[in-house]
Amino acid sequence: MPRYDPKRIEKKWQDFWEQNKTFAVPALPRGEKLYVLDMFPYPSGDGLHVGHPEGYTATDITCRYHRMRGKTVLHPMGWDAFGLPAEQHAIKTGTHPRETTYKNIGTFRRQLKMLGFSYDWDREISTTDPEYFRWTQWIFLQLFDTWYDADLVWTDHHGRQHVGKGRPIAELPIPSDVAASGAEAVRRYQDAHRLAYQTEAPVNWCPALGTVLANEEVIDGKSERGNHPVVRIPLRQWMLRITCYADRLLSDLDVVNWPESIKQLQRNWIGRSEGAEVDFYVGAPGLPTVTKTTLDSDQSRQFAAWKSARASAGFPKAQTEDCLRIYTTRPDTLFGATYMVLAPEHPYVDRLTTATQKAQVDAYRQQASFKSDLDRTDLAKDKTGVFTGSYAVNPVNGAPVPVWIADYVLISYGTGAIMAVPAHDLRDWEFAVKFQLPIIPVVQPPAGYEPSAEELAQSRQVDGRTETPFAGEGTAMGSGPYDGLGTREFKQRITSELTTQGMGRKAVNFRLRDWLFSRQHFWGEPFPIWHELDAEGNPTGLMRTDADHELPVTLPAMTHFKPHGRPEPPLAEAPQDWLFKTAADGTRLARETNTMPQWAGSCWYYLRFIDPRNGTAFVDRAKEQAWMPVDLYIGGAEHAVLHLLYSRFWHKVLFDRGHVSGDEPFNRLVNQGMILGEAELTGYQFADGGTEPGWVSARQVRNDVDTATQRPVHAARLTAEQVVKKGNDFVLAADHQIVVESRAFKMSKSRGNVINPDLVVQEYGADSLRLYEMFMGPLEAVKPWSMSGVEGVSRFLARVWRTISDEAVEEIRLHPAVQDVPPSADQVRLLHKTIQAVTRDVENLSFNTAISRMMEFVNAVAGQDVRPRSILEPFVLLLSPFAPHLAEEAWQLLGHTQSLAYEPWPQFDPAVLVESEAELAVQINGKVRGKIKIPAAAEQSVAEQAARADAKIAEQLAGKTVIKIVYVAGRLLSFVVK
RNA sequence: GCCGGAGUGGCGGAAUGGCAGACGCACCGGAUUCAAAAUCCGGCGACCCUGACAGGUCAUGUGGGUUCGACUCCCACCUCCGGCACCA
């Protein structure tokens, strides 16, 4: 029987680990701790994907290695189990999402256990368990109870100083006028400052489906399912004030050990920009607006009065009604502002629209309201806009400039209004050219400046001259007293002068928006929030929270999941006793019916793993302090931005409120690369038959059309035999003119290239799957699957088995070559080199090269007639993190009665590694011309002598002058000759 | 367009500035076998030269540069992948 039999071995050891709780983790670490975390999966109905075990194996190897190094390792697993697919399944079949979810979890759990990961399964959690989401709701209440004090200065435990911190809402200073207006005014004031707040936000409402759709379910304004029209309607939504934390989320990226590329993605997403806010005078409300390019005497007086009032009172915190507040990163171009643009949704549009322009403006605004942001950016290649009829006064030169509305200005960024400087902004330039607005250059490009491709693309001809926009930095001109200043200096100067005059101030803006935190779904966490109702049963806008001891707020018992046909969430159909109650003071209350998005549960699960069964706190303080932060976090790059940003945000809020001990949750982050399907060879043939239904070169195919003839083509799978390599391309063997496509694609059901881990394990075993996924290439690289590659590593494991066990007999026993004899010097050196390399590679997560080293070891040892036990045992330990089942079995066969999971990791002795003799490459002018063997520690003179004694070298050196010799001990000797 | 990342044999990949292609796959040859599977041994970048032994030249996307020496460092460009995309 003694063939390598993964089925028997793997089942045996998985049962052993489970029964002996081999990987159970103590509540608090003993000695040095290590917290290694996988991004927990969404348990989809398709079961495990081969992409999952990639990261999971990498973390498992790391964990097993560090346990053997004596660390206490926390390595948990759980389920991110709320989500849309289960709900859609419920709509289709009537099956409760909970049922679907728990069935899928069962499949995932079985599959993960089948792969032999050393999780502490006693810590398993699911975001859908009431005992889990009880604390998700509790954290939401913390957000609800927090306001952001942007001015608070504090010092963190590293001694770094920060500005801005979340504080209890009870500590929010209440302005005296608010306090004077009574308790309700105070409550509303507080509500307006909480980190969790409500707003009206547009949702994708699909009347035909009778439900609200997520952005990814809408394609070109139609529903993904059924292709029905989707409209955007405003709905009351919950938002989280993540923008308050933008600066800290940005600057703290500097202290975490993450790939630079991921940090860059987050930086771009946060999108910090520095500039100035500037107020443009439009006249107090009620007064007629400026409608000409010059001010009349009344208006001049009013403008002068406004200026002097500002000069004494300073720049108001909030925008006042007599001016338009704009944000610009280029305050140095104020003198070149020739018009203003408001977002169509800007609150001042009505006020500034004159009677003659009203029809046009209204039509434009209505049109814009139908477009999603995506449509606005995608379709708006051509700029559109409408003049309001009014003018605003430029504070630096008193010039009135026309105010337009256009959808290229977004209401959600900055102040929703801009000053347009067409000469120095490409978007403004395009708009100005289209609507024939004046263009005034105020920045002189540096000498020798060559316009960029973008700038050139926008250039226009005026009176036979070419005019080109210039968006870079240069020297000021046409800017009165500022002429001659460099852009940077100008910005500083004018910003501080505007500040003294009360007409502007320095400002920072972020691309990051507040987080839309509610969904109109059933299968999510309910909010622990009640809305107060008035006597008519209408919401007053005031809220109450569930008390901590009333959590969790569980989902109501519902039996049908078909959309009810109104935009309100499905929970609006919940039973009355779930929806309503009367408070002790007699106030009628209605429950919040939105649910939280899927992100909520995954924002803090790493904390719950530390203390998963705690019934009195989301995590015990001492345990949190002992285990956090996560030392290594591995997962897919698709979560590079949102999940990681949202988690960091929640963690910082919890930190500010004193619930966790550090302000960053994940110290080291690694993204595993995607695993693609097997490489495919694809040729293209004319699809329309025609007279010659021949092949088309892949080069000239675009979107299934031959670009040369415009005839449609279709893809045809080719076998390796039909194709040959020619130059850099693959071509048809039958016709070398026809280039064939060779690439691997993302695995997908529709392409039919999905690899099922169950089948791989069935055929080759879990150890082979684990080993193959690590051997494919660097963890972080994208790489194609190859079934014969699995076969390769499986052969290696079988070879390991044969090296140790005797296959010639029926029972399982040691191979006779395995003997208790002292190893040879070569064997010892090989072992220690292997230990050194594997240890270094595991530390660096270079698992592919570690496996190569172990293969080399086995290739050398397997052929030997005597295989000393003293070199095989350390080798089995080296292999054990990678192929734990086989290693345990071999360990037992070698006579051990305990699991090897906590055996000390083998050490190497540097003294053993020293080779007595070294082979030296001898170079002449950088080319290797010969090799010599000399003592490893030889002096240069010895090496030189040996090299000159070599016949070939001597021949090469004959008649030449040696001008330099470079000697790298043990590696090479290089002659530079003339 | 902008921001990242990557281009090395037929394929996956390896190489602190120091012998390019470790290790694996595929393929070819041999051993074993009645035969096959499995296993074991050997070969395997391209081109030139040779009867053979040996040897030579060119090769890490392209073109330059630094260096005694470059896959590795610098500059420019090309291609592919990922992200963002009117953010003032």
Side-chain angles (χ1 to χ4, degrees):
Chain A
M1 111 122 239
R3 275 246 184 118
Y4 171 48
D5 181 10
K7 279 204 184 68
R8 177 186 67 81
I9 295 177
E10 290 174 1
K11 181 79 179 63
K12 170 179 163 185
W13 288 99
Q14 283 160 19
D15 290 348
F16 176 92
W17 296 326
E18 184 149 350
Q19 279 157 24
N20 292 279
K21 291 212 182 284
T22 307
F23 303 112
V25 186
L28 286 169
R30 291 188 280 263
E32 204 179 337
K33 70 96 181 177
L34 189 79
Y35 186 177
V36 179
L37 184 66
D38 292 306
M39 287 185 187
F40 68 161
Y42 171 74
S44 77
D46 299 330
L48 211 64
H49 180 273
V50 288
H52 291 114
E54 188 189 13
Y56 299 166
T57 304
T59 50
D60 196 58
I61 291 168
T62 303
C63 290
R64 287 175 179 270
Y65 165 73
H66 282 288
R67 274 188 210 105
M68 295 170 80
R69 298 295 300 248
K71 293 188 187 169
T72 310
V73 178
L74 180 56
H75 188 212
M77 180 46 76
W79 319 108
D80 187 16
F82 277 125
L84 215 42
E87 184 158 342
Q88 281 169 346
H89 186 74
I91 292 168
K92 241 185 279 175
T93 64
T95 315
H96 197 289
R98 186 179 297 118
E99 206 176 301
T100 316
T101 300
Y102 283 87
K103 187 175 132 239
N104 292 346
I105 287 177
T107 306
F108 265 68
R109 189 190 298 110
R110 173 186 66 72
Q111 289 182 306
L112 289 181
K113 288 195 172 177
M114 160 185 97
L115 292 171
F117 297 130
S118 59
Y119 296 121
D120 178 356
W121 283 104
D122 292 343
R123 290 173 185 259
E124 179 183 349
I125 53 179
S126 171
T127 54
T128 52
D129 284 344
E131 271 313 299
Y132 181 86
F133 69 66
R134 166 185 183 177
W135 298 105
T136 309
Q137 291 168 339
W138 179 84
I139 294 171
F140 174 81
L141 291 180
Q142 295 299 309
L143 287 150
F144 186 77
D145 186 60
T146 302
W147 67 287
Y148 196 75
D149 183 349
D151 303 319
L152 188 75
V153 178
W154 55 281
T155 306
D156 69 17
H157 46 286
H158 304 108
R160 297 199 318 152
Q161 206 172 69
H162 301 261
V163 182
K165 190 164 193 167
R167 297 173 63 188
I169 197 76
E171 296 176 9
L172 176 70
I174 307 293
S176 51
D177 56 326
V178 174
S181 309
E184 188 182 319
V186 171
R187 283 176 71 188
R188 289 189 193 274
Y189 183 83
Q190 287 177 326
D191 287 349
H193 288 82
R194 299 175 187 275
L195 291 185
Y197 65 100
Q198 294 180 85
T199 186
E200 294 271 321
V203 296
N204 305 302
W205 165 242
C206 179
L209 292 174
T211 181
V212 171
L213 300 174
N215 282 336
E216 54 270 25
E217 294 177 292
V218 182
I219 297 164
D220 290 335
K222 298 277 174 66
S223 66
E224 187 190 14
R225 282 175 296 138
N227 206 32
H228 304 294
V230 173
V231 293
R232 290 163 59 78
I233 58 168
L235 208 63
R236 186 184 53 77
Q237 306 268 345
W238 282 94
M239 306 289 286
L240 297 184
R241 234 179 270 280
I242 188 172
T243 48
C244 288
Y245 283 78
D247 250 330
R248 280 165 67 189
L249 289 168
L250 186 68
S251 62
D252 287 350
L253 285 172
D254 296 340
V255 303
V256 292
N257 178 10
W258 291 15
E260 203 45 49
S261 60
I262 300 295
K263 290 188 185 184
Q264 203 52 44
L265 278 179
Q266 292 220 344
R267 288 190 190 110
N268 292 345
W269 189 263
I270 295 167
R272 184 179 199 274
S273 85
E274 257 180 48
E277 285 179 357
V278 184
D279 282 351
F280 279 59
Y281 181 72
V282 290
L287 292 175
T289 59
V290 180
T291 53
K292 298 194 304 288
T293 53
T294 51
L295 300 179
D296 60 32
S297 56
D298 274 359
Q299 289 165 336
S300 291
R301 245 192 334 271
Q302 286 155 9
F303 176 55
W306 178 78
K307 271 174 77 168
S308 69
R310 279 301 180 86
S312 52
F315 190 75
K317 262 201 162 158
Q319 174 165 210
T320 51
E321 295 219 302
D322 52 10
C323 62
L324 272 177
R325 179 162 292 181
I326 60 100
Y327 171 72
T328 178
T329 54
R330 293 294 300 270
D332 61 301
T333 59
L334 262 164
F335 287 86
T338 56
Y339 63 103
M340 319 274 295
V341 185
L342 308 185
E345 303 85 351
H346 196 282
Y348 289 11
V349 172
D350 278 334
R351 245 188 76 201
L352 295 175
T353 302
T354 56
T356 49
Q357 295 300 104
K358 187 166 177 6
Q360 272 197 65
V361 166
D362 286 350
Y364 187 80
R365 292 179 88 185
Q366 178 156 27
Q367 205 187 344
S369 72
F370 289 136
K371 293 190 197 170
S372 69
D373 278 2
L374 196 74
D375 295 333
R376 271 163 72 152
T377 56
D378 244 25
L379 307 175
K381 284 242 171 351
D382 210 18
K383 299 251 182 307
T384 57
V386 179
F387 180 40
T388 60
S390 295
Y391 288 71
V393 185
N394 189 332
V396 295
N397 57 9
V401 291
V403 179
W404 287 61
I405 65 169
D407 67 4
Y408 81 93
V409 171
L410 309 173
I411 188 65
S412 48
Y413 185 78
T415 57
I418 62 157
M419 66 169 187
V421 185
H424 305 293
D425 182 284
L426 298 171
R427 300 153 297 186
D428 297 346
W429 172 277
E430 190 192 337
F431 192 83
V433 168
K434 179 164 177 193
F435 293 102
Q436 296 173 12
L437 291 155
I439 297 174
I440 305 174
V442 291
V443 186
Q444 177 79 44
Y449 177 78
E450 292 287 339
S452 70
E454 287 169 281
E455 288 170 343
L456 278 177
Q458 296 277 345
S459 59
R460 62 167 185 177
Q461 300 293 319
V462 180
D463 306 332
R465 285 179 305 112
T466 305
E467 285 189 353
T468 307
F470 168 62
E473 299 188 344
T475 310
M477 57 193 260
S479 297
Y482 302 98
D483 280 359
L485 283 181
T487 298
R488 284 160 199 232
E489 199 188 344
F490 191 169
K491 279 187 191 177
Q492 282 193 348
R493 280 265 291 276
I494 192 144
T495 306
S496 73
E497 281 167 32
L498 286 168
T499 308
T500 16
Q501 294 159 10
M503 294 190 297
R505 68 171 166 202
K506 189 179 166 184
V508 171
N509 257 299
F510 298 94
R511 208 193 71 107
L512 181 71
R513 306 293 150 82
D514 275 347
W515 176 9
L516 178 74
F517 192 69
S518 48
R519 300 290 183 271
Q520 293 70 51
H521 294 309
F522 169 77
W523 193 228
E525 299 90 345
F527 285 82
I529 293 283
W530 295 91
H531 298 278
E532 292 186 6
L533 301 177
D534 61 16
E536 280 77 48
N538 295 316
T540 62
L542 292 169
M543 288 169 285
R544 299 190 185 186
T545 61
D546 281 298
D548 288 359
H549 67 84
E550 291 171 298
L551 302 181
V553 178
T554 54
L555 287 162
M558 285 175 73
T559 49
H560 63 280
F561 303 95
K562 294 260 184 278
H564 52 59
R566 287 171 284 121
E568 295 100 87
L571 289 180
E573 295 284 285
Q576 295 292 304
D577 61 343
W578 188 88
L579 281 172
F580 300 101
K581 74 172 181 187
T582 305
D585 64 2
T587 312
R588 279 294 279 171
L589 300 172
R591 215 186 261 285
E592 170 65 51
T593 54
N594 281 296
T595 51
M596 300 187 198
Q598 202 183 344
W599 304 111
S602 61
C603 266
W604 72 283
Y605 72 111
Y606 55 91
L607 290 167
R608 191 62 179 172
F609 276 139
I610 289 169
D611 196 11
R613 307 289 171 250
N614 193 326
T616 56
F618 77 115
V619 60
D620 176 79
R621 202 167 279 261
K623 291 178 188 168
E624 189 277 333
Q625 201 154 17
W627 288 108
M628 283 300 284
V630 173
D631 297 285
L632 176 65
Y633 192 22
I634 296 187
E638 66 272 21
H639 295 118
V641 177
L642 295 183
H643 159 64
L644 289 168
L645 202 63
Y646 293 157
S647 295
R648 294 178 62 218
F649 164 49
W650 277 34
H651 201 83
K652 284 181 188 305
V653 176
L654 289 170
F655 172 76
D656 284 358
R657 295 301 306 270
H659 299 301
V660 296
S661 53
D663 58 356
E664 280 289 335
F666 311 121
N667 181 30
R668 180 168 182 208
L669 173 78
V670 174
N671 284 123
Q672 84 227 24
M674 199 196 321
I675 296 182
L676 306 174
E678 297 236 10
E680 298 174 18
L681 293 163
T682 312
Y684 291 92
Q685 280 176 303
F686 287 119
D688 54 1
T691 46
E692 357 102 64
W695 296 94
V696 186
S697 193
R699 283 260 178 74
Q700 57 193 57
V701 172
R702 194 139 300 189
N703 300 329
D704 285 337
V705 171
D706 173 17
T707 51
T709 61
Q710 300 305 319
R711 289 168 62 188
V713 297
H714 63 75
R717 285 289 288 275
L718 299 168
T719 62
E721 290 74 46
Q722 291 174 274
V723 170
V724 293
K725 177 106 179 180
K726 188 184 170 201
N728 284 326
D729 297 314
F730 285 94
V731 295
L732 274 188
D735 181 351
H736 288 199
Q737 298 308 307
I738 303 298
V739 176
V740 163
E741 220 171 61
S742 168
R743 57 171 286 210
F745 296 86
K746 191 171 165 173
M747 288 189 192
S748 70
K749 270 193 210 159
S750 59
R751 192 167 270 278
N753 59 352
V754 176
I755 303 288
N756 179 345
D758 278 337
L759 298 181
V760 178
V761 172
Q762 175 77 16
E763 186 152 358
Y764 299 100
D767 282 339
S768 290
L769 176 65
R770 294 170 56 115
L771 204 65
Y772 174 64
E773 295 217 2
M774 294 301 98
F775 188 60
M776 292 172 86
L779 182 61
E780 296 176 73
V782 175
K783 29 200 186 281
W785 185 267
S786 155
M787 230 11 139
S788 50
V790 184
E791 191 139 354
V793 295
S794 153
R795 278 205 282 266
F796 162 67
L797 292 179
R799 192 174 230 226
V800 170
W801 179 244
R802 276 198 308 278
T803 304
I804 295 170
S805 92
D806 190 353
E807 292 202 336
V809 290
E810 278 306 308
E811 77 275 25
I812 295 170
R813 68 170 199 210
L814 268 186
H815 195 285
V818 179
Q819 295 166 20
D820 288 309
V821 294
S824 71
D826 281 347
Q827 287 173 328
V828 171
R829 189 177 310 113
L830 174 66
L831 173 70
H832 283 247
K833 280 171 87 163
T834 307
I835 295 172
Q836 182 187 36
V838 172
T839 305
R840 186 195 55 221
D841 289 348
V842 170
E843 296 265 1
N844 295 333
L845 310 183
S846 301
F847 303 118
N848 55 332
T849 50
I851 295 166
S852 297
R853 293 312 197 110
M854 291 191 281
M855 286 173 168
E856 286 178 273
F857 177 91
V858 173
N859 287 346
V861 173
Q864 295 176 353
D865 298 332
V866 178
R867 305 165 200 160
R869 178 194 294 270
S870 59
I871 68 161
L872 288 182
E873 289 196 344
F875 170 76
V876 167
L877 295 177
L878 293 184
L879 180 66
S880 68
F882 296 81
H885 310 89
L886 171 61
E888 289 272 23
E889 184 72 7
W891 190 245
Q892 192 176 57
L893 186 54
L894 285 162
H896 298 275
T897 51
Q898 300 270 314
S899 161
L900 51 60
Y902 294 92
E903 282 294 316
W905 184 255
Q907 301 292 309
F908 67 90
D909 178 358
V912 176
L913 297 177
V914 178
E915 308 244 9
S916 54
E917 202 174 45
E919 194 185 56
L920 217 59
V922 183
Q923 293 186 343
I924 292 169
N925 285 346
K927 286 206 159 72
V928 180
R929 295 298 177 179
K931 288 171 187 183
I932 54 172
K933 280 200 167 160
I934 56 163
E939 299 278 319
Q940 176 171 336
S941 56
V942 178
E944 202 182 315
Q945 227 166 28
R948 287 181 190 276
D950 185 273
K952 261 179 293 180
I953 300 300
E955 187 189 326
Q956 292 273 343
L957 288 176
K960 307 217 169 93
T961 323
V962 176
I963 43 179
K964 188 173 174 185
I965 296 177
V966 181
Y967 179 57
V968 183
R971 307 211 72 153
L972 66 70
L973 181 71
S974 181
F975 291 93
V976 185
V977 302
K978 246 188 185 161

